[in-house]
Amino acid sequence: MTAKLAPALLSTLGGRYYTSAEVFAAEQEHIFEAMWFCAARSADLADPGRFKKVQVGRESVLLVRGRDGVLRAFLNVCRHRGAQLCVEGEGEVKRTLRCPYHSWTYALDGRLVAAPNIGTLTDDEGAPIDRYRYGLVPVALTEWLGYAWVCLADTPPPFEDVMAETARTLGDPEAVDRYGIGALDVGHRVVYDVAANWKLIVENFMECYHCSTIHPELVGVLPEFARGVAAQANIGLGAQFGSGVAGFTVDGGAGFDRLPGISEEQDRRYYAITVKPTVFLNLVPDHVIFHRMYPVAPDRTVVECDWLYTGDVVGSARDVSNSVELFHRVNLQDFEACERTQPAMSSRAYRDGGVLVPAEHHLAEFHSWVVSRLAAAL
Amino acid sequence: MTAKLAPALLSTLGGRYYTSAEVFAAEQEHIFEAMWFCAARSADLADPGRFKKVQVGRESVLLVRGRDGVLRAFLNVCRHRGAQLCVEGEGEVKRTLRCPYHSWTYALDGRLVAAPNIGTLTDDEGAPIDRYRYGLVPVALTEWLGYAWVCLADTPPPFEDVMAETARTLGDPEAVDRYGIGALDVGHRVVYDVAANWKLIVENFMECYHCSTIHPELVGVLPEFARGVAAQANIGLGAQFGSGVAGFTVDGGAGFDRLPGISEEQDRRYYAITVKPTVFLNLVPDHVIFHRMYPVAPDRTVVECDWLYTGDVVGSARDVSNSVELFHRVNLQDFEACERTQPAMSSRAYRDGGVLVPAEHHLAEFHSWVVSRLAAAL
Amino acid sequence: MTAKLAPALLSTLGGRYYTSAEVFAAEQEHIFEAMWFCAARSADLADPGRFKKVQVGRESVLLVRGRDGVLRAFLNVCRHRGAQLCVEGEGEVKRTLRCPYHSWTYALDGRLVAAPNIGTLTDDEGAPIDRYRYGLVPVALTEWLGYAWVCLADTPPPFEDVMAETARTLGDPEAVDRYGIGALDVGHRVVYDVAANWKLIVENFMECYHCSTIHPELVGVLPEFARGVAAQANIGLGAQFGSGVAGFTVDGGAGFDRLPGISEEQDRRYYAITVKPTVFLNLVPDHVIFHRMYPVAPDRTVVECDWLYTGDVVGSARDVSNSVELFHRVNLQDFEACERTQPAMSSRAYRDGGVLVPAEHHLAEFHSWVVSRLAAAL
């Protein structure tokens, strides 16, 4: 064999990618505000007039369901003197959003519909003031998998690319669709405040070399994870439940009926997909675990995690704690590892990064992707 | 009519004026430390030896009343090794200010009067050390309206300009004098810590377009404020009490006897004046409400508000709560609006600012003034 | 006498040396990370497998005692993906340090000894992975006076220079050795969190002009300190106990038997030495007080102070509170003075610094030394 061996150890990103305010600012502009960003579960905004405030990159975004049933997003800023329309996390209005400072009032589609004295105002050509021009600044919004994805770019990239990339990861364009995620209900939600850079959380999610060390319960259900090979490195294969395992639960006991649409080969398997930049999908036969990250600072990320079940399970108030507990423990174990890693990112020992073993080599693609997104800015 | 209409909507300052550390640093240097800054109520320093520490721009300033009855201001820094002479907010000494670190001791006029071993010290010419040269660094101080105004500029501008500008705003050079503000007593004081840029607080004070939305009690007393036209836009006119209103109180009930010096046309009227950069004067027949701002950070301002009454009212401990409550509510309503506006200043929606309706057009002068003060620095 | 008099007042460093983030960064690189830094009491790491985490400049350093009895230091960073090996302040392991993220495992001498799958790994030449190359990054360590001193420089300066400088200060190469500090035991330890720049603490320690003002108990024991002349200005002389003073205690009462090795002339005397950059030594006949500073920010320094006695005193649990209380009060008095000084460092009054009286003139050497260390960076 004359061919040179592939290197066993690849380099990671250098430490400053995880600590620098400049890098984080570039990520906000060129990643979180430039890509489609998963902002909220659509069902949390089911009724007309229901609204929710979400931080997307550096912007406060207001999501609101119109009387016409359409979910829309706007910058959460009154066009007059800049007061935030929505200060509370969420709530409900009747027909309009009214700024509590000077009473400029907007329809749920963003149009300026009223303001004290505004009726007699004209622009400098003598024409009435354009109510769309002074309406709320719209933000692009698409619904997929039951979530609202927004994009702050002037020209948002095609959303189809997000879906195509996900399908490619699973190796089957219909694999995700079969879980019918959009129709599921939130059975449980936990919000984690993690003292680590968002990329450490992505990297942790993408590899399973750490599984045997920190995830005893998960390895109990998915014995092949003890081998340390990441599910995401094996396109479309997922990981098989252990022979004595009845369900994806903390003790391996039975879960719920399998989701109606999934295929035979999806049964008794766990699939993990990263939807860049900030979403993790975990697919198991009877439920879906959906992570959304909100990067707050170079060393802080809020992670909101939904456990999704059929309406039958949630509606009948069945006890989901056994399945919730499994991934809640995984989350805590992962986030502790990330928090333990964050401080070392500023050490001279990590100035040029650490190393990736072969079971982690696919992380290098993520690193390249980050570097290329930020190329213009750094 | 061929003349072009004046634009109905003018632009405000861009958002960075309210968030940038660079702008705030320029304001500290070219506004708060360059202009006359209202530092304290003189009566709080009535007795010889009484002292008070006040933050002016970036400097800690020590105000102290001398044995000769003169109020003086100094930088609050020992000339020896820099310990702060005064750490507590205020207090009283007998004849000297003694640094608690090495006992360098200053007369109340700032002269260095004693220090261990200093008696034998000579300068490099062999002459005794100059006790003024190593005295406390003096800060210019003028008293007006019963307050101590200090100026950190090397060459303070004429104080008469401050008085003339105030008179110009009221349209009558003697209008302010008639209230005899310097002779009034503090009946009540509230200190507010506001999470907003000081200019948002100025802008809020200068316009009344928001009054009908957030100030029900104030509009109850001054019905014309419901029209949303700022008192300060109408030079010298003030705003008239409603017909059924007996006094400037939270329920419109009677206040106290009108101040002895005021004119007939000043009766039953409310006047509001901004004395740039950080003072608001509110004049009503029986009392005066005096706001001083202390800008602490781009997004934080401490506001100290005094309710001033005649010595008769304060000395006889009459109940002032009905008149205090009115403007205390106005303050809370205004500061909440400012705090709601501050976060949007960093949004892309406010990058080029918001808009001013005609009732707010006079704010554009304030904006121009700020821009011109900072022109050299930005 | 025709020679010009030496100036009575010399200048100190300008205020920005005590406040600027840039100066502090330069100090971290060119002082704390470049010089020998006193990190821990060796006896706190007496047993094999005992480890402790210490912050040195910007680095987290892991000190660990090997099975071979040797104390070593490493950067506290796993070479794989950067998790901190040691998160707790201290603890004990058996034979290895195992990273809790992916189980990379290091011997106590730093060698990489195990990692999942690592046995089969080869480098890009096909050779086994070098276990030292991927071992923990070593940090230079020397033990002296019973403390572990570490140096993060690529080429540490000779440790002998530290010892020689200390001997020079005392004017006798054996003066320190006679106290047998390395063999003493810690009788008491206090950790102080001081809101002041580390250099203010050094300057305070180096002069005694402040003693008569703030240290009544210390002056009670060492009456000559009332004259305000610093012990450290008089090489090797120290300061003599007052005639009625039996020991270096808060009330002047008797201490313990004098340390066996000290000379007659060292009896009934107090010696103070600054071992740059961050150690203060206080030598009295029956014990030693040892300060270590950990500069955390321009305006914050953690000071750890050990009171060291013979094994007899500590082993028999004799009451050391009378001698501890004396210097604990001195510490509190000094640190309060430093905290009072820190805020004035940003005043325009201290832009060009304050002044040094003759009793403080030796501080100018410290200032020159700081300036020269930072010359390349500022």
Side-chain angles (χ1 to χ4, degrees):
Chain A
M1 179 163 166
T2 57
K4 202 163 180 187
L5 288 172
L9 302 177
L10 300 179
S11 282
T12 70
L13 293 174
R16 85 179 184 97
Y17 274 88
Y18 303 88
T19 60
S20 145
E22 187 197 0
V23 169
F24 188 70
E27 290 174 343
Q28 286 185 305
E29 183 172 354
H30 297 286
I31 295 180
F32 312 127
E33 298 174 9
M35 299 178 68
W36 287 97
F37 186 95
C38 188
R41 181 86 185 151
S42 301
D44 292 344
L45 295 148
D47 299 326
R50 194 83 204 162
F51 66 85
K52 189 172 162 69
K53 185 182 75 163
V54 180
Q55 190 71 18
V56 179
R58 294 161 299 185
E59 293 292 341
S60 175
V61 171
L62 179 56
L63 305 177
V64 61
R65 179 79 62 184
R67 308 301 306 176
D68 55 3
V70 176
L71 188 61
R72 295 181 181 83
F74 306 100
L75 295 181
N76 180 22
V77 177
C78 178
R79 295 303 302 280
H80 170 223
R81 293 263 304 286
Q84 288 203 324
L85 288 167
C86 169
V87 174
E88 326 73 47
E90 54 192 308
E92 196 166 319
V93 293
K94 283 246 176 235
R95 302 197 157 269
T96 58
L97 295 160
R98 181 175 156 280
C99 178
Y101 195 174
H102 300 84
S103 292
W104 279 39
T105 304
Y106 303 88
L108 302 186
D109 66 358
R111 228 175 343 132
L112 177 63
V113 290
N117 308 336
I118 201 86
T120 61
L121 290 185
T122 52
D123 65 18
D124 53 8
E125 305 293 334
I129 290 203
D130 181 333
R131 297 192 169 204
Y132 280 101
R133 181 174 162 200
Y134 291 99
L136 297 177
V137 178
V139 174
L141 183 149
T142 297
E143 291 180 87
W144 183 52
L145 303 180
Y147 287 85
W149 307 66
V150 299
C151 184
L152 286 159
D154 291 335
T155 309
F159 193 83
E160 291 67 30
D161 292 356
V162 178
M163 297 191 284
E165 168 80 6
T166 305
R168 193 187 61 75
T169 307
L170 281 174
D172 173 358
E174 276 144 48
V176 170
D177 295 344
R178 291 197 200 97
Y179 289 83
I181 300 174
L184 299 180
D185 286 345
V186 176
H188 195 72
R189 174 175 290 169
V190 180
V191 179
Y192 304 88
D193 199 331
V194 186
N197 186 273
W198 69 282
K199 297 189 295 299
L200 291 180
I201 299 173
V202 172
E203 294 161 10
N204 169 277
F205 186 75
M206 290 181 82
E207 55 91 358
C208 203
Y209 185 48
H210 67 272
C211 289
S212 62
T213 303
I214 70 173
H215 295 317
E217 300 87 350
L218 185 63
V219 167
V221 172
L222 306 171
E224 67 186 84
F225 272 13
R227 296 205 324 269
V229 179
Q232 294 183 65
N234 306 307
I235 291 180
L237 291 185
Q240 181 134 30
F241 289 6
S243 57
V245 169
F248 195 74
T249 58
V250 71
D251 57 6
F256 303 103
D257 291 346
R258 76 189 222 197
L259 299 173
I262 66 171
S263 69
E264 276 305 318
E265 67 186 11
Q266 287 174 320
D267 197 12
R268 296 185 58 74
R269 284 196 166 270
Y270 163 84
Y271 298 87
I273 308 116
T274 302
V275 184
K276 289 194 290 277
T278 53
V279 168
F280 307 146
L281 265 177
N282 305 271
L283 310 173
V284 290
D286 63 334
H287 67 286
V288 167
I289 303 152
F290 196 106
H291 296 79
R292 282 164 285 145
M293 289 191 290
Y294 297 88
V296 174
D299 58 357
R300 186 173 162 225
T301 308
V302 171
V303 184
E304 203 163 323
C305 184
D306 290 342
W307 281 259
L308 305 170
Y309 301 86
T310 62
D312 275 358
V313 169
V314 175
S316 58
R318 293 183 62 184
D319 181 6
V320 297
S321 62
N322 247 20
S323 60
V324 166
E325 183 64 14
L326 174 53
F327 225 87
H328 176 55
R329 288 196 196 173
V330 170
N331 283 340
L332 292 177
Q333 292 152 353
D334 280 336
F335 300 155
E336 186 190 355
C338 293
E339 291 189 340
R340 188 172 193 119
T341 303
Q342 181 66 32
M345 296 298 100
S346 56
S347 170
R348 59 180 70 189
Y350 216 76
R351 198 171 286 156
D352 301 319
V355 293
L356 301 174
V357 301
E360 302 167 315
H361 278 190
H362 57 293
L363 271 69
E365 285 172 49
F366 172 64
H367 296 150
S368 303
W369 174 82
V370 169
V371 168
S372 70
R373 296 277 331 173
L374 307 185
L378 297 181
Chain B
M1 179 164 165
T2 58
K4 201 162 183 188
L5 288 173
L9 302 177
L10 300 179
S11 281
T12 70
L13 293 174
R16 82 179 187 99
Y17 273 87
Y18 304 87
T19 61
S20 144
E22 187 197 0
V23 168
F24 188 70
E27 290 174 341
Q28 286 186 305
E29 184 173 352
H30 297 286
I31 294 178
F32 312 128
E33 299 174 10
M35 299 178 69
W36 287 97
F37 187 96
C38 189
R41 181 85 185 152
S42 301
D44 292 344
L45 296 148
D47 301 325
R50 194 83 205 160
F51 66 85
K52 189 172 163 69
K53 186 182 74 163
V54 180
Q55 190 71 19
V56 179
R58 293 160 299 184
E59 294 292 341
S60 176
V61 171
L62 178 56
L63 304 177
V64 62
R65 178 80 62 185
R67 309 300 306 176
D68 55 2
V70 176
L71 188 61
R72 295 181 181 82
F74 305 101
L75 295 181
N76 180 22
V77 177
C78 179
R79 295 302 303 278
H80 170 223
R81 293 264 303 287
Q84 288 203 324
L85 287 167
C86 169
V87 175
E88 327 72 47
E90 53 192 308
E92 196 166 320
V93 293
K94 282 249 176 233
R95 298 195 160 270
T96 58
L97 295 159
R98 181 173 154 282
C99 178
Y101 194 173
H102 300 85
S103 291
W104 280 38
T105 303
Y106 303 88
L108 302 185
D109 66 358
R111 228 175 344 132
L112 178 64
V113 290
N117 308 337
I118 201 88
T120 62
L121 289 184
T122 51
D123 65 17
D124 53 8
E125 304 294 332
I129 289 201
D130 181 334
R131 295 187 172 210
Y132 282 101
R133 181 174 162 200
Y134 291 100
L136 297 176
V137 178
V139 174
L141 184 149
T142 297
E143 292 180 86
W144 183 51
L145 303 180
Y147 288 84
W149 306 66
V150 299
C151 184
L152 288 159
D154 291 333
T155 308
F159 193 83
E160 291 67 31
D161 292 358
V162 179
M163 297 191 286
E165 169 79 7
T166 305
R168 193 186 62 75
T169 307
L170 281 174
D172 173 357
E174 277 144 48
V176 170
D177 296 344
R178 291 197 199 97
Y179 289 83
I181 301 175
L184 300 180
D185 287 344
V186 176
H188 195 72
R189 174 175 290 169
V190 179
V191 179
Y192 305 86
D193 199 331
V194 186
N197 186 274
W198 69 281
K199 296 188 297 297
L200 291 180
I201 299 173
V202 172
E203 293 161 9
N204 169 277
F205 186 75
M206 291 181 81
E207 55 92 357
C208 202
Y209 185 48
H210 66 273
C211 290
S212 62
T213 304
I214 70 174
H215 296 318
E217 300 88 351
L218 185 64
V219 168
V221 172
L222 306 170
E224 67 187 84
F225 274 13
R227 296 206 323 270
V229 179
Q232 293 183 65
N234 306 309
I235 292 181
L237 290 186
Q240 180 135 29
F241 290 6
S243 56
V245 169
F248 196 73
T249 57
V250 71
D251 56 6
F256 303 102
D257 291 345
R258 75 187 221 201
L259 299 173
I262 66 171
S263 68
E264 277 306 319
E265 68 185 8
Q266 288 174 321
D267 197 12
R268 296 187 58 76
R269 283 197 166 269
Y270 163 85
Y271 297 88
I273 308 119
T274 301
V275 185
K276 288 195 290 278
T278 54
V279 167
F280 306 147
L281 265 177
N282 304 272
L283 309 173
V284 291
D286 63 335
H287 67 286
V288 168
I289 302 152
F290 196 106
H291 295 79
R292 283 165 285 145
M293 289 191 289
Y294 297 89
V296 175
D299 58 357
R300 185 174 162 225
T301 308
V302 171
V303 184
E304 203 162 322
C305 184
D306 290 342
W307 281 258
L308 305 170
Y309 300 87
T310 62
D312 275 357
V313 170
V314 175
S316 58
R318 293 181 63 184
D319 181 6
V320 297
S321 61
N322 245 22
S323 60
V324 167
E325 183 65 14
L326 173 54
F327 225 87
H328 176 55
R329 288 196 196 172
V330 170
N331 284 339
L332 292 176
Q333 291 153 352
D334 280 336
F335 301 155
E336 186 190 354
C338 294
E339 292 189 338
R340 189 173 191 116
T341 303
Q342 181 66 34
M345 295 299 99
S346 55
S347 170
R348 60 178 69 188
Y350 216 75
R351 197 172 287 157
D352 301 320
V355 293
L356 300 174
V357 300
E360 301 168 315
H361 278 191
H362 56 295
L363 271 66
E365 285 171 49
F366 172 65
H367 295 151
S368 302
W369 174 82
V370 169
V371 168
S372 70
R373 295 279 330 174
L374 307 186
L378 296 181
Chain C
M1 178 164 165
T2 56
K4 201 163 181 187
L5 288 172
L9 301 177
L10 301 178
S11 280
T12 70
L13 293 174
R16 82 179 186 100
Y17 273 87
Y18 304 87
T19 61
S20 142
E22 187 196 1
V23 169
F24 188 70
E27 290 174 341
Q28 286 186 304
E29 182 171 355
H30 297 286
I31 295 179
F32 313 128
E33 298 174 9
M35 299 178 69
W36 287 98
F37 186 96
C38 189
R41 181 87 185 150
S42 301
D44 292 344
L45 296 148
D47 300 326
R50 194 82 205 162
F51 66 85
K52 189 171 162 70
K53 185 183 74 163
V54 180
Q55 190 71 18
V56 179
R58 293 160 299 184
E59 292 292 341
S60 176
V61 171
L62 178 57
L63 305 177
V64 62
R65 178 80 62 185
R67 308 302 304 177
D68 55 3
V70 176
L71 188 62
R72 293 181 182 82
F74 305 101
L75 295 181
N76 180 23
V77 176
C78 179
R79 295 302 303 279
H80 170 222
R81 294 264 304 285
Q84 288 203 324
L85 287 167
C86 169
V87 173
E88 328 71 47
E90 53 192 309
E92 197 166 318
V93 294
K94 283 248 178 232
R95 301 195 159 269
T96 58
L97 294 159
R98 181 174 155 279
C99 178
Y101 194 174
H102 301 85
S103 294
W104 279 38
T105 304
Y106 304 88
L108 302 185
D109 66 358
R111 228 176 343 133
L112 178 63
V113 291
N117 307 338
I118 199 88
T120 62
L121 290 184
T122 52
D123 65 18
D124 51 9
E125 304 294 332
I129 288 202
D130 181 334
R131 295 188 172 205
Y132 281 101
R133 183 176 160 199
Y134 291 100
L136 297 176
V137 178
V139 174
L141 183 149
T142 298
E143 291 180 87
W144 183 52
L145 303 179
Y147 288 84
W149 306 67
V150 300
C151 185
L152 286 159
D154 291 334
T155 309
F159 194 82
E160 290 68 29
D161 293 356
V162 178
M163 297 191 283
E165 168 80 5
T166 305
R168 192 185 64 74
T169 306
L170 280 174
D172 172 357
E174 277 144 47
V176 169
D177 295 344
R178 291 198 198 96
Y179 288 83
I181 300 173
L184 298 179
D185 286 344
V186 176
H188 195 72
R189 175 175 289 169
V190 180
V191 180
Y192 305 87
D193 199 330
V194 187
N197 187 274
W198 69 282
K199 297 188 296 299
L200 291 180
I201 299 174
V202 172
E203 293 161 9
N204 170 277
F205 186 75
M206 290 182 82
E207 55 92 357
C208 202
Y209 185 48
H210 66 273
C211 289
S212 63
T213 304
I214 71 174
H215 296 317
E217 301 88 350
L218 184 64
V219 168
V221 172
L222 306 171
E224 66 185 87
F225 272 14
R227 295 205 324 270
V229 179
Q232 293 184 65
N234 306 308
I235 291 181
L237 291 185
Q240 181 135 29
F241 290 7
S243 56
V245 169
F248 195 75
T249 57
V250 72
D251 56 6
F256 303 103
D257 292 345
R258 75 188 220 199
L259 299 173
I262 66 169
S263 68
E264 277 304 318
E265 66 185 11
Q266 287 175 322
D267 198 12
R268 296 185 58 74
R269 282 195 168 273
Y270 163 83
Y271 298 87
I273 308 118
T274 302
V275 185
K276 289 195 291 276
T278 53
V279 168
F280 307 146
L281 265 176
N282 304 272
L283 309 173
V284 290
D286 63 333
H287 67 286
V288 167
I289 303 152
F290 197 107
H291 295 79
R292 283 166 283 145
M293 289 191 291
Y294 296 88
V296 175
D299 59 357
R300 186 174 162 224
T301 308
V302 171
V303 184
E304 202 163 324
C305 184
D306 290 343
W307 281 259
L308 304 170
Y309 301 86
T310 63
D312 275 359
V313 169
V314 176
S316 59
R318 293 183 61 186
D319 181 5
V320 297
S321 61
N322 247 20
S323 59
V324 166
E325 183 65 14
L326 174 54
F327 226 87
H328 175 55
R329 287 196 196 172
V330 171
N331 284 340
L332 292 177
Q333 291 153 353
D334 280 336
F335 300 154
E336 186 190 353
C338 294
E339 291 188 340
R340 189 173 191 117
T341 303
Q342 181 66 35
M345 295 298 100
S346 56
S347 170
R348 59 178 70 188
Y350 216 77
R351 196 171 286 156
D352 300 319
V355 292
L356 301 174
V357 301
E360 302 168 315
H361 278 191
H362 56 294
L363 270 67
E365 285 172 49
F366 172 65
H367 296 150
S368 301
W369 174 83
V370 169
V371 168
S372 70
R373 295 278 332 173
L374 307 185
L378 297 181

